[in-house]
């Protein structure tokens, strides 16, 4: 037990100020996070042992885990005697690692040594049986290691996939959405168990799960957005999983990154498996070998930068014995730092260091970093713990190191980037000088103080040094200027055009010229069939043709013709029209490139491809990004070509851009393979038609073609590619096509793939009448035209009728509704997909869509407007543009009344969802600021001594010979004799609870009454668990926001018992504590014409469970709350003040405290069991 106490499951702090919904690579049983509240980040990796172990403790732990047990089976996965050959039946028929074996490991985590053995044996079985050892081991590590998952985003897609896979009803789907992430696995398992399987699916493998995780960044990276294919990928996994051994439960937990295995435990198991998989000599101690292997695996992981693929490759390539002597450090991959041991004082530190010589460094104030140097300093990368790859500093340090490495070509330096120290002319500080632990220390200190590389200043106000050791006087640093990022796209025409200007531009571009050649790419008479020679021999679009287009940008009409004709040639000749058109568009659309990291990688690739000298490479690095293409072209022209490379295609370039996020996203980091990929493109480019020049500019996203330009050319190409009648006005057709393409692009959310698919599937003539709006894809807004004054605006609108909307102050959003409101997504311009608001708006829309299943609503999330009692503002009222204006104003007034719902946000921000208009609205009720009524009226919270507890129990249950066995508050109560109290139903009547609540004035009798009620429940209820849970949930774990609940209760009482307006107003003004009296009086006044079904505790608990406002003080009231309250009230009766107590329970003011309820529950459990005559009842 003492050893187990030292094995600490997790200790990891997260950034103080960064709340998010990220869950670690497993964390065992954790406190359940709420899905819809802002939750703190769970640390990325739960380290099984962060406490530093001594060698003896490591050896002892390994020995304890693998101590031999003669009774253990060789086929048992967690046995120390496990034999992969004897356990072949476990593997089954397939050639890849089955997921159900991982589920077996995750299922039994009763003790850490047992789990460690099970995982190590699973890896041994994998190494022995898998047809792809490297792939399966990599997949296993990817599932359990190095992932960050955004829970809220993944939670919604998991619920959608579970619903689609197992046919959940709408109500079950809504319940699953409201569950905390940690409970969704249970819901999936229950749904899977309910489903009947008609045929056997191919069994799920670890490689299948790893492939989906690799394909969808949202399952690996907390900052990534979910793609439309995520739910589909999850569904494919879920339908292949089974309920046996809770496989589906563990699958969901793995996908959520909550499997419960830490990085440290996985690496220890891997080390143990490698030792057991290798033949051992008789002299080797197994536990010692495992301990050394643990250290080697951890060191190897650090050396490969925690890259799972390289780690697996390294471990499988190396014999376990040779692992400790092999280094996997490689320039370009950050070596992760070791975690240092902390000591409490200097004496303890010196004792641990021993008696040998020690190299003591000065304490330097700065930031520790790694500098990776290749080719004698011409290529430099800098890494730090905080920044990862630090491109800015690499540009500064390269010139410093060049020529100063004394013949070393490649190396990794551990450096300190520091501010220049003050010159200290006296002796060093006493605490530092006192570290003298061996001979030669003084000489080493003197030598270290003189070892210094150079000094370099950072931009602006922070000067920094690069120091290897010591801190002597240094040369003044050079300050380079900070250069601005190059803009993403050079827009050719962003000004909005009128229809006449569009027509004029199209006519000018395609005006016929009798002398123009039909083979000239920029000619208005171009004919794809006549120009086939331009294409060449391949079947994919050559990049060379794109350079012909880019060469003609100086004259805009010719440039638009050239690009349109290129697209026409593509549609005529390409073997993959969709792939080539998508590749072409993706070169210019939807990219943001961070120039500095891409610039460095491009220089490196140009240098490697065209053999630049060191001095040329350094010059190229210092160039502005816009001038790099010239250097590449000059280098390409100098190089002699010995053999013909395969021609470069647009698809090749698009594939590299798709593979490396740095070429698409400005905030992405450069990967290690980017330089190699760029080099492969450059070596296939040629100097003819400046192809290399244009390739570099395209990669930098500086090709010079804007989005509107490309879309115009695409629209023109679609018109020209279709046969047309002689009477058709070409310019008009092109103008309509431009509008259709732009609209289609907005409807597919600027998704290039869907846009190309839509355009190729549709005839150009049908394009204008086809809508590509799809629920789940944000429709991009149109860009409005700005006018300088009202007169100009009215002139542009013309003389026809106009629908004028009120100016609403709020945030415009799109609400995408599926399955009649059970699945809701919200998008806005600022937030993209806005998961938090979807959780709020879902309940509002549910049941209010009048039979519509799927739709996209344009809404305004706004604050409630103030009541305007005067006429509308003059500027708004002045919109009169033609006949019929009075009728239109009438229509507007009707529209202003269309309002979907009004809902308050927490704290100080109230929000409305409005479809159109914002006319006069009922002024919200403003109650005076009132203190929250306390959650529970605690009857006895003072701590008791054991004697006081005994005395209280004795007093409560002291026998009274005259007491009736049918009296609910009697110490002689007998559930069998009191069955008449229960009545006819099979569930606990609320009427019985009111009998208990009526007896609170005398505490011993009250505790007896509640205990006896629980005994009667256990004796008579048809659903003991449900009724007991319902009873406890009325009093436990609730926080009620009195103001919104008060308003809804008044509304429900008024509707149930027919209060007059004046009475309803009076009730609204009452304090919450007096509302129950008004409800009881109203109930007594009302005549009952027929007998309602008796109210039960389960009915009340169900309403509380359904409406979060009755459980959480910061929840918002949903639209159905008043109706639910009304259903309860109309079933209550005035007898025994049942209505009064119902209102008090709903307000969470029933008067029974937590300790009181739990005491009564404990007493009931004792009394419900048979007991011996000698037992002391009070002690029990």
């Amino acid at each position: 037990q003492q050893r187990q106490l030292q094995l600490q499951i997790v200790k990891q702090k997260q950034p103080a100020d960064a709340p998010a919904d990220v869950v670690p690579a497993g964390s065992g049983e954790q406190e359940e996070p709420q899905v819809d509240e802002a939750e703190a980040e769970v640390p990325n990796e739960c380290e099984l042992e962060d406490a530093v172990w001594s060698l003896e403790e490591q050896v002892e732990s390994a020995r304890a885990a693998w101590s031999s047990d003669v009774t253990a089976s060789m086929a048992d996965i967690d046995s120390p005697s496990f034999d992969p050959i004897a356990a072949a039946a476990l593997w089954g028929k397939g050639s890849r690692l089955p997921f159900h074996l991982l589920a077996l490991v995750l299922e039994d985590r009763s003790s850490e040594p047992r789990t460690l053995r099970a995982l190590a044996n699973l890896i041994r079985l994998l190494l022995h049986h898998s047809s792809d050892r490297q792939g399966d081991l990599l997949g296993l590590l990817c599932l359990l290691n190095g992932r960050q998952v955004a829970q809220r985003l993944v939670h919604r897609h998991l619920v959608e996939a579970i619903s689609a896979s197992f046919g959940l009803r709408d109500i079950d789907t809504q319940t699953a959405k409201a569950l905390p992430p940690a409970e969704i696995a249970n819901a999936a398992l229950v749904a899977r168990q309910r489903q009947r399987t008609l045929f056997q699916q191919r069994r799920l493998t670890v490689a299948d799960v790893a492939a989906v995780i690799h394909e969808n960044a949202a399952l690996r990276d907390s900052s990534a957005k979910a793609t439309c294919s995520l739910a589909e990928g999850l569904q494919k996994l879920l339908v292949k999983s089974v309920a046996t051994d809770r496989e589906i439960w563990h699958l969901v937990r793995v996908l959520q990154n909550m499997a419960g295995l830490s990085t440290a435990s996985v690496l220890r198991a891997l080390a143990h498996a490698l030792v057991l998989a290798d033949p051992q000599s008789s002299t080797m101690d197994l536990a010692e070998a495992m301990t050394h292997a643990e250290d080697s695996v951890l060191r190897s992981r650090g050396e490969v930068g925690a890259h799972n693929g390289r780690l697996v490759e390294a471990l499988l390539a190396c014999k376990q014995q040779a692992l400790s002597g092999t280094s996997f450090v490689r320039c370009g991959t950050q070596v992760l730092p070791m975690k240092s041991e902390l000591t409490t004082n200097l004496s303890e530190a010196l004792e641990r260091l021993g008696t040998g010589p020690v190299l003591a460094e000065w304490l330097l104030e700065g930031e520790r970093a790694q500098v990776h140097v290749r080719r004698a300093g011409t290529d430099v990368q800098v890494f730090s713990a905080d920044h990862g790859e630090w491109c800015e500093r690499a540009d500064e340090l390269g010139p410093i190191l060049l020529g100063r490495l004394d013949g070393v070509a490649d190396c990794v330096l551990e450096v300190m980037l520091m501010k220049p120290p003050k010159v200290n002319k006296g002796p060093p500080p006493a605490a530092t000088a006192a570290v003298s632990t061996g001979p030669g220390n003084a000489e080493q200190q003197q030598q270290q103080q003189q070892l210094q590389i150079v000094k370099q200043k950072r931009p602006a106000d922070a000067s920094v040094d690069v120091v290897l050791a010591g801190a002597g006087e240094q040369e003044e640093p050079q300050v380079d200027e900070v250069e601005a990022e190059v803009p993403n796209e050079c827009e050719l025409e962003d000004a909005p055009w009128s229809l006449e200007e569009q027509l004029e531009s199209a006519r000018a571009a395609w005006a016929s010229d009798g002398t123009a050649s039909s083979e000239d790419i920029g000619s208005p008479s171009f004919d794809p069939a006549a120009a086939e020679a331009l294409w060449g021999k391949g079947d994919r679009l050559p990049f060379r043709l794109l350079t012909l287009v880019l060469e003609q940008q100086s004259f805009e009409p010719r440039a638009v013709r050239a690009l349109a004709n290129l697209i026409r040639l593509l549609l005529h000749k390409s073997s993959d029209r969709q792939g080539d058109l998508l590749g072409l568009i993706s070169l210019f659309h939807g990219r943001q490139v961070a120039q500095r990291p891409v610039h460095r990688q491009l220089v490196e690739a140009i240098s490697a491809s065209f053999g630049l000298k060191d001095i040329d490479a350094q010059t190229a690095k210092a160039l502005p990004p816009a001038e790099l293409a010239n250097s590449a072209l000059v280098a390409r022209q100098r190089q002699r070509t010995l053999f013909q490379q395969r021609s470069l295609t647009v698809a090749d370039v698009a594939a590299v851009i798709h593979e490396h996020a740095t070429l698409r996203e400005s905030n992405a980091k450069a990967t290690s393979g980017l330089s190699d990929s760029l080099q492969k493109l450059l070596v296939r480019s040629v100097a003819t038609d400046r192809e290399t020049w244009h390739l570099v500019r395209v990669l930098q996203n500086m090709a010079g073609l804007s989005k509107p330009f490309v879309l115009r050319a695409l629209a023109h190409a679609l018109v020209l590619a279709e046969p047309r009648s002689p009477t058709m006005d070409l310019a008009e057709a092109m103008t309509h096509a431009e509008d259709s393409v732009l609209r289609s692009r907005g409807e597919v959310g600027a998704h290039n793939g869907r846009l190309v698919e839509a355009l190729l599937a549709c005839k150009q003539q049908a394009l204008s009448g086809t809508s590509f709006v799809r629920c789940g894809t944000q429709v991009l807004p149109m860009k409005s035209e700005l006018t300088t004054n009202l007169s100009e605006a009215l002139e542009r609108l013309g003389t026809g009728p106009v629908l004028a909307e009120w100016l609403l102050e709020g945030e415009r959003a799109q609400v995408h509704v599926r399955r009649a409101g059970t699945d809701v997504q919200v998008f806005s311009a600022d937030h993209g997909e806005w998961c938090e608001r979807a959780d709020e708006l879902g309940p509002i829309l549910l049941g209010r869509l009048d039979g519509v299943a799927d739709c996209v609503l344009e809404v305004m999330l706004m604050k409630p407007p103030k009541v305007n009692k005067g006429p509308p503002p003059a500027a708004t009222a002045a919109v009169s543009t033609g006949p019929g204006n009075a009728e239109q104003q009438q229509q507007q007034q009707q529209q202003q009344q269309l309002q979907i719902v009004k809902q308050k946000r927490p704290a100080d921000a109230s929000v409305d969802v409005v479809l159109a208009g914002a006319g006069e609205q009922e002024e919200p009720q403003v109650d005076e600021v009132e203190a929250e009524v306390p959650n529970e009226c605690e009857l006895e919270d003072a701590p008791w001594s054991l004697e006081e507890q005994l005395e209280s129990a004795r007093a409560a249950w002291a026998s009274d010979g005259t007491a009736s066995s049918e009296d609910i508050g009697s110490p002689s109560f007998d559930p069998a004799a009191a069955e008449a109290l229960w009545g006819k139903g099979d569930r606990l009547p609320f009427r019985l609870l009111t009998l208990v609540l009526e007896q609170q004035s005398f505490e011993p009798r009250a505790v007896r009454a509640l205990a006896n009620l629980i005994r009667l429940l256990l004796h008579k209820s048809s659903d003991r668990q449900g009724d007991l849970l319902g009873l406890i949930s009325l009093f436990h774990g609730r926080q009620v926001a009195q103001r919104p609940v008060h308003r809804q209760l008044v509304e429900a009482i008024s509707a149930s018992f027919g209060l007059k307006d004046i009475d309803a107003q009076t009730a609204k003004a009452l304090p919450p504590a007096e509302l129950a009296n008004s409800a009881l009086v109203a109930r007594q006044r009302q005549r009952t014409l027929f007998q309602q079904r008796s109210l039960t505790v389960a009915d009340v608990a169900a309403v509380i469970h359904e409406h979060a406002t009755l459980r959480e003080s910061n929840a918002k009231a949903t639209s159905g709350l008043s109706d639910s309250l009304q259903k309860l009230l109309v079933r209550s009766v005035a007898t025994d003040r049942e209505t009064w107590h119902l209102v008090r329970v709903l307000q969470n003011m029933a008067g029974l405290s937590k300790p009181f309820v739990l005491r009564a529950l404990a007493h009931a459990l004792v009394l419900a069991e048979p007991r011996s005559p000698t037992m002391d009842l009070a002690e029990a």
Side-chain angles (χ1 to χ4, degrees):
Q1 284 180 347
Q2 285 174 356
R3 280 200 302 273
Q4 279 267 329
L5 288 172
Q6 291 165 3
L7 297 173
Q8 185 178 355
I9 295 298
V10 169
K11 192 184 284 180
Q12 178 163 352
K13 229 174 188 176
Q14 86 153 11
D17 56 348
D21 44 351
V22 181
V23 168
S27 55
E29 296 293 324
Q30 303 174 345
E31 189 176 337
E32 308 301 358
Q34 291 298 322
V35 136
D36 43 357
E37 293 182 12
E39 53 186 328
E41 281 224 5
V42 181
N44 177 37
E45 291 175 342
C46 305
E47 300 297 337
L48 264 188
E49 59 283 294
D50 266 355
V52 181
W53 283 8
S54 67
L55 180 60
E56 293 75 15
E57 287 172 317
Q58 277 185 284
V59 171
E60 183 60 30
S61 172
R63 215 168 253 127
W66 295 96
S67 55
S68 181
D69 181 0
V70 290
T71 62
S73 166
M74 290 192 295
D76 184 1
I77 194 76
D78 58 3
S79 164
S81 311
F82 179 81
D83 181 6
I85 299 173
L90 271 179
W91 185 270
K93 295 180 180 177
S95 61
R96 302 300 296 271
L97 174 62
F99 188 83
H100 81 84
L101 288 184
L102 178 58
L104 288 180
V105 173
L106 298 174
E107 183 68 16
D108 186 8
R109 297 205 300 275
S110 54
S111 72
E112 199 259 336
R114 186 179 178 87
T115 306
L116 184 66
R117 286 198 303 267
L119 186 55
N121 289 334
L122 175 65
I123 295 170
R124 293 168 64 197
L125 191 63
L126 177 163
L127 296 174
H128 184 77
H129 284 285
S130 174
S131 62
D132 182 359
R133 300 193 308 161
Q134 184 168 336
D136 275 342
L137 186 54
L138 175 58
L140 186 63
L141 288 185
C142 289
L143 264 54
L144 307 173
N145 201 15
R147 292 167 56 207
Q148 290 272 357
V149 173
Q151 287 301 323
R152 183 168 295 154
L153 202 59
V154 171
H155 181 83
R156 187 176 64 74
H157 283 86
L158 265 173
V159 170
E160 188 178 322
I162 292 166
S163 176
S165 303
F166 308 135
L168 291 189
R169 294 176 296 176
D170 291 345
I171 187 66
D172 294 335
T173 304
Q174 283 300 103
T175 306
K177 280 186 179 175
L179 288 175
E183 291 182 19
I184 191 70
N186 295 328
L189 178 60
V190 170
R192 186 70 185 88
Q193 288 168 334
R194 285 184 190 154
Q195 191 186 42
R196 294 178 61 189
T197 305
L198 300 178
F199 55 89
Q200 185 66 39
Q201 287 273 0
R202 183 171 65 83
R203 70 178 181 174
L204 185 66
T205 67
V206 165
D208 296 332
V209 184
V212 170
I213 290 173
H214 177 74
E215 185 180 347
N216 295 283
L219 296 172
R220 305 187 312 272
D221 184 356
S222 60
S223 61
K225 293 183 180 176
T227 59
C228 53
S229 63
L230 175 57
E232 201 176 314
L234 296 175
Q235 188 178 341
K236 288 177 182 175
L237 297 179
L238 290 167
V239 295
K240 288 168 67 178
S241 64
V242 294
T244 314
D245 295 324
R246 298 204 306 163
E247 182 179 277
I248 188 168
W249 190 92
H250 290 293
L251 171 61
V252 172
R253 298 283 283 190
V254 164
L255 292 169
Q256 291 176 302
N257 204 19
M258 298 166 70
L261 294 182
S262 71
T263 300
S265 64
V266 173
L267 295 178
R268 285 186 66 211
L270 177 59
H272 293 193
L274 292 175
V275 170
L276 293 167
D278 268 352
Q280 302 140 22
S281 66
S282 56
T283 58
M284 182 176 63
D285 182 276
L286 183 63
E288 284 187 11
M290 287 178 171
T291 301
H292 289 304
E294 287 176 21
D295 294 341
S296 299
V297 169
L298 282 169
R299 178 184 52 74
S300 302
R301 180 174 179 268
E303 289 175 347
V304 298
H307 188 282
N308 288 330
R310 283 199 56 209
L311 177 63
V312 169
E313 185 181 349
L315 296 179
L316 292 182
C318 236
K319 291 283 187 185
Q320 182 271 321
Q321 294 89 337
L323 191 61
S324 59
T326 306
S327 171
F328 302 107
V329 174
R330 185 171 71 181
C331 280
T333 300
Q334 181 180 8
V335 181
L336 300 188
M338 296 185 347
K339 188 172 181 180
S340 59
E341 290 192 46
L342 299 180
T343 56
T344 54
N345 53 58
L346 190 58
S347 303
E348 183 185 349
L350 295 175
E351 184 182 345
R352 289 201 184 187
L353 291 174
T355 57
V358 171
L359 174 62
E361 291 184 351
W362 294 105
L363 177 63
L364 305 179
E365 291 185 8
E367 184 160 8
R368 189 175 294 277
Q370 285 171 33
V371 179
H372 291 235
V373 183
R374 284 182 281 196
R375 293 197 288 276
T378 58
D379 181 9
V380 173
Q381 287 174 275
V382 177
F383 298 92
S384 78
D386 293 336
H387 300 86
E389 185 173 1
W390 204 354
C391 298
E392 296 83 354
R393 306 315 303 276
D395 297 339
E396 300 169 18
L397 302 188
I400 299 173
L401 295 170
L402 198 62
R404 294 173 178 265
L405 295 174
D406 294 334
V408 175
D410 297 351
C411 63
V412 176
L413 303 174
E414 187 83 6
V415 305
M416 184 69 79
L417 307 178
M418 59 181 288
K419 293 183 179 180
K422 294 176 183 177
V423 176
N424 186 357
K425 298 186 179 177
T432 314
V435 182
S436 178
T437 57
N441 192 62
E443 291 176 17
Q444 286 177 347
Q445 285 183 352
Q446 281 178 1
Q447 289 169 5
Q448 275 223 312
Q449 290 166 21
Q450 316 206 352
L451 290 175
Q452 181 182 358
I453 296 293
V454 86
K455 182 179 187 179
Q456 166 114 354
K457 231 179 188 177
R458 293 190 75 187
D461 57 344
S463 56
V464 173
D465 300 327
V466 181
V467 176
L468 288 192
E473 305 224 355
Q474 302 171 344
E475 189 180 343
E476 189 62 27
Q478 296 295 321
V479 181
D480 298 331
E481 294 184 9
V482 182
E483 59 178 347
E485 286 273 333
V486 179
N488 178 36
E489 288 177 343
C490 312
E491 299 295 338
L492 278 185
E493 67 285 291
D494 267 351
W497 285 6
S498 68
L499 180 61
E500 291 74 15
E501 289 173 320
Q502 278 185 284
L503 283 168
E504 185 60 32
S505 172
R507 273 199 186 94
W510 295 96
S512 180
D513 179 2
T515 62
S517 166
S518 60
E519 299 178 18
D520 179 6
I521 195 80
S523 163
S525 310
F526 180 81
D527 179 8
E532 289 187 353
L534 271 178
W535 186 273
K537 296 180 179 177
D539 56 355
R540 300 300 296 271
L541 175 61
F543 189 81
R544 168 183 47 80
L545 288 184
L546 179 58
T547 64
L548 293 180
V549 173
L550 297 174
E551 282 286 297
Q552 307 191 35
Q553 290 182 59
S554 55
F555 182 53
E556 199 239 330
R558 181 169 176 85
V560 79
R561 285 199 304 265
L563 185 55
N565 289 334
L566 176 65
I567 296 171
R568 293 168 64 196
L569 187 60
L570 178 163
L571 297 175
H572 179 73
K573 285 286 293 177
S574 174
S575 63
D576 182 359
R577 300 194 307 161
Q578 185 169 335
D580 274 342
L581 186 55
L582 174 58
L584 182 64
I585 292 177
S586 64
L587 297 190
F588 307 106
H589 268 211
R591 291 174 59 205
Q592 289 279 351
V593 174
Q595 291 300 326
R596 185 166 293 161
V598 170
H599 181 81
R600 189 180 61 76
Q601 299 280 344
L602 271 170
V603 169
E604 184 178 323
I606 293 166
S607 177
S609 304
F610 307 139
L612 289 189
K613 299 176 189 173
D614 292 344
I615 189 65
D616 293 337
Q618 283 301 107
T619 306
K621 280 186 180 176
L623 287 174
E627 294 182 19
L628 184 60
N630 295 328
S631 296
L633 180 60
V634 170
R636 185 69 187 91
Q637 288 167 335
R638 284 184 189 155
Q639 192 186 41
R640 294 177 61 189
T641 304
L642 299 178
F643 54 91
Q644 185 66 40
Q645 285 276 0
R646 183 166 62 86
S647 175
L648 185 66
T649 67
V650 166
D652 296 329
V653 183
V656 169
I657 290 173
H658 178 73
E659 184 183 354
H660 297 281
T662 326
L663 297 172
R664 302 188 314 272
E665 301 167 17
S666 59
N667 58 352
K669 294 182 180 177
T671 57
S672 54
L674 176 57
S675 178
D676 294 340
S677 299
L678 297 175
Q679 187 178 340
K680 289 176 184 175
L681 295 179
L682 288 165
V683 296
R684 289 171 57 190
S685 67
V686 295
T688 313
D689 295 324
R690 298 201 304 164
E691 184 178 273
T692 301
W693 191 91
H694 288 294
L695 172 61
V696 172
R697 299 283 284 186
V698 165
L699 292 169
Q700 291 176 306
N701 202 22
M702 298 166 67
L705 300 185
S706 68
K707 270 191 224 163
F709 183 89
V710 175
L711 293 177
R712 283 183 62 213
L714 177 59
H716 294 190
L718 293 175
V719 171
L720 294 167
E722 295 285 336
R724 57 188 184 274
S725 67
T727 59
M728 183 177 78
D729 186 328
L730 186 63
E732 281 190 12
M734 287 179 171
T735 300
H736 289 306
E738 287 175 20
D739 294 341
S740 298
V741 169
L742 281 169
R743 178 184 52 75
S744 303
R745 181 175 179 272
E747 289 176 347
V748 299
H751 188 282
N752 291 332
R754 283 198 57 208
L755 175 64
V756 168
E757 184 181 349
L759 295 180
L760 292 182
C762 231
K763 292 280 186 185
Q764 181 271 321
Q765 293 90 335
L767 191 61
S768 59
T770 307
S771 171
F772 302 106
V773 175
R774 185 171 70 180
C775 278
T777 300
Q778 182 179 8
V779 181
L780 300 187
M782 298 189 335
K783 187 174 180 180
S784 59
E785 289 193 45
L786 299 180
T787 57
T788 54
N789 54 58
L790 188 59
S791 304
E792 184 185 349
L794 294 174
E795 184 183 346
R796 289 202 183 189
L797 291 175
T799 57
V802 172
L803 175 62
E805 290 184 352
W806 294 103
L807 175 64
L808 305 180
E809 290 186 8
E811 184 157 10
R812 190 175 293 277
Q814 283 170 35
V815 179
H816 291 234
V817 183
R818 285 182 281 196
R819 294 199 287 278
T822 58
D823 183 7
V824 173
Q825 288 175 272
V826 178
F827 298 91
S828 79
D830 293 336
H831 299 87
E833 185 172 2
W834 203 356
C835 298
E836 296 83 357
R837 303 316 300 276
D839 298 338
E840 298 171 22
L841 300 187
I844 298 173
L845 295 169
L846 197 62
R848 293 174 176 266
L849 296 173
D850 295 333
V852 175
D854 297 352
C855 62
V856 177
L857 303 175
E858 187 84 7
V859 305
M860 182 70 78
L861 307 177
M862 59 181 288
K863 294 184 179 179
K866 295 178 182 176
V867 174
N868 186 359
K869 297 184 179 176
T876 314
V879 180
S880 177
T881 59
N885 192 62
E887 292 177 15
Q888 278 200 344
Q889 287 182 352
Q890 238 175 356
Q891 290 172 3
Q892 284 180 0
Q893 285 169 7
Q894 290 168 4
Q895 278 224 328
Q896 288 159 22
Q897 328 249 331
L898 293 174
Q899 182 176 349
I900 294 296
V901 97
K902 186 191 276 181
Q903 175 160 351
K904 262 192 176 175
R905 296 193 74 185
D908 55 351
S910 55
V911 173
D912 299 327
V913 182
V914 176
L915 285 192
E920 304 231 353
Q921 301 177 353
E922 187 181 337
E923 182 67 21
Q925 292 293 328
V926 181
D927 300 330
E928 292 182 14
V929 179
E930 56 181 334
E932 284 277 332
V933 178
N935 179 36
E936 289 172 345
C937 311
E938 299 297 339
L939 280 184
E940 64 285 288
D941 266 352
W944 285 6
S945 67
L946 180 60
E947 292 74 16
E948 288 172 317
Q949 279 184 285
L950 283 168
E951 184 59 33
S952 171
R954 272 199 189 94
W957 296 96
S959 182
D960 180 0
T962 63
S964 166
S965 61
E966 298 178 19
D967 178 7
I968 194 80
S970 164
S972 309
F973 179 82
D974 179 9
E979 289 187 353
L981 271 178
W982 186 271
K984 295 181 180 177
D986 57 354
R987 301 299 296 271
L988 175 62
F990 189 81
R991 168 183 48 82
L992 288 183
L993 179 58
T994 64
L995 293 180
V996 174
L997 297 174
E998 282 287 297
Q999 308 190 36
Q1000 289 182 61
S1001 55
F1002 181 54
E1003 198 247 334
R1005 181 169 176 84
V1007 80
R1008 284 199 304 267
L1010 185 54
N1012 289 335
L1013 176 65
I1014 295 171
R1015 293 168 64 195
L1016 186 60
L1017 178 163
L1018 296 174
H1019 179 73
K1020 285 286 292 176
S1021 174
S1022 63
D1023 182 0
R1024 299 193 308 163
Q1025 184 171 340
D1027 274 342
L1028 186 55
L1029 174 59
L1031 182 63
I1032 292 175
S1033 65
L1034 298 189
F1035 307 106
H1036 267 212
R1038 291 174 59 206
Q1039 290 279 352
V1040 174
Q1042 291 301 325
R1043 185 172 296 158
V1045 169
H1046 182 81
R1047 187 175 61 77
Q1048 298 281 343
L1049 269 171
V1050 169
E1051 187 178 322
I1053 292 166
S1054 178
S1056 304
F1057 308 138
L1059 290 189
K1060 299 176 190 173
D1061 292 342
I1062 188 68
D1063 293 337
Q1065 284 301 105
T1066 306
K1068 279 185 181 177
L1070 287 174
E1074 293 181 20
L1075 185 59
N1077 295 329
S1078 296
L1080 180 60
V1081 170
R1083 185 70 186 91
Q1084 288 167 336
R1085 284 182 191 155
Q1086 192 187 41
R1087 295 178 60 188
T1088 305
L1089 299 178
F1090 54 91
Q1091 184 66 40
Q1092 285 275 1
R1093 183 167 62 84
S1094 174
L1095 184 66
T1096 67
V1097 166
D1099 296 329
V1100 183
V1103 170
I1104 291 173
H1105 177 72
E1106 183 182 354
H1107 298 282
T1109 327
L1110 298 171
R1111 303 188 313 271
E1112 301 168 18
S1113 59
N1114 59 353
K1116 297 172 187 172
T1118 58
S1119 53
L1121 176 57
S1122 179
D1123 294 340
S1124 299
L1125 296 175
Q1126 188 179 339
K1127 289 176 183 175
L1128 296 179
L1129 288 165
V1130 296
R1131 289 171 56 189
S1132 67
V1133 295
T1135 314
D1136 295 324
R1137 298 203 302 166
E1138 183 177 274
T1139 301
W1140 190 91
H1141 288 294
L1142 172 61
V1143 172
R1144 299 284 284 186
V1145 165
L1146 291 169
Q1147 291 176 305
N1148 201 22
M1149 299 167 67
L1152 298 185
S1153 70
K1154 266 192 227 166
F1156 183 89
V1157 175
L1158 294 177
R1159 282 183 63 214
L1161 177 59
H1163 293 192
L1165 294 175
V1166 171
L1167 293 167
E1169 295 288 334
R1171 57 188 184 274
S1172 67
T1174 59
M1175 183 178 78
D1176 185 329
L1177 185 64
E1179 283 189 10

